[in-house]
Amino acid sequence: QVHLVESGGGLIQAGGSLGLSCAASGRTARSYAMGWFRQAPGNEREFVAAINWSGKNEYYADSVKGRFTISRDNAKNTVYLRMNSLKPEDTAVYYCAAKQDYTNSDYAAAKDYTNWGQGTQVTVSS
């Protein structure tokens, strides 16, 4: 079982930058694919970014491509999301998620993730 704890959310002005962290516990955490999802009030949870177990492959939603960067440090069992050029529409609760990695995995499918963090609020003011 993998336990996830996010940190780093907050209030930021549009155009600013913010970094999120997700600390994973559990012996097999470093073999898991990791993803970031977000959910704004009244909206469904949506995919933001994902990274495979080794960190060699990254995946992004079109809405954040070029602005957000996902990375991981397996020695620290931590995944990061660096968010630049933030927009008011990026306001949401951001969730970290984990799943066992496998070939041809659909990294954007929330239903495939088995472990979720509690979420951290990101608010971007205009």
Side-chain angles (χ1 to χ4, degrees), residues 18 38 48-49 58 60 63-70 81-87 90 94:
L18 201 61
R38 66 187 182 187
V48 176
E58 304 166 19
Y60 296 95
S63 59
V64 306
K65 202 171 293 183
R67 299 188 298 122
F68 291 11
T69 302
I70 189 171
L81 185 68
R82 182 64 182 175
M83 304 181 291
N84 296 327
S85 303
L86 282 160
K87 304 175 181 179
D90 294 318
Y94 283 70

Side-chain angles (χ1 to χ4, degrees), residues 16-87:
S17 299
L18 201 61
L20 304 182
S21 299
C22 173
S25 62
R27 288 189 303 171
T28 58
R30 61 192 62 188
S31 68
Y32 276 51
M34 302 294 294
W36 286 96
F37 293 78
R38 66 187 182 187
Q39 188 167 18
N43 291 355
E44 293 187 353
R45 192 168 297 189
E46 65 172 359
F47 170 71
V48 176
I51 190 166
N52 77 325
W53 72 271
S54 68
K56 291 184 178 179
N57 297 312
E58 304 166 19
Y59 308 87
Y60 296 95
D62 288 343
S63 59
V64 306
K65 202 171 293 183
R67 299 188 298 122
F68 291 11
T69 302
I70 189 171
S71 61
R72 67 188 296 162
D73 184 338
N74 282 347
K76 297 182 179 179
N77 276 355
T78 301
V79 176
Y80 306 95
L81 185 68
R82 182 64 182 175
M83 304 181 291
N84 296 327
S85 303
L86 282 160
K87 304 175 181 179

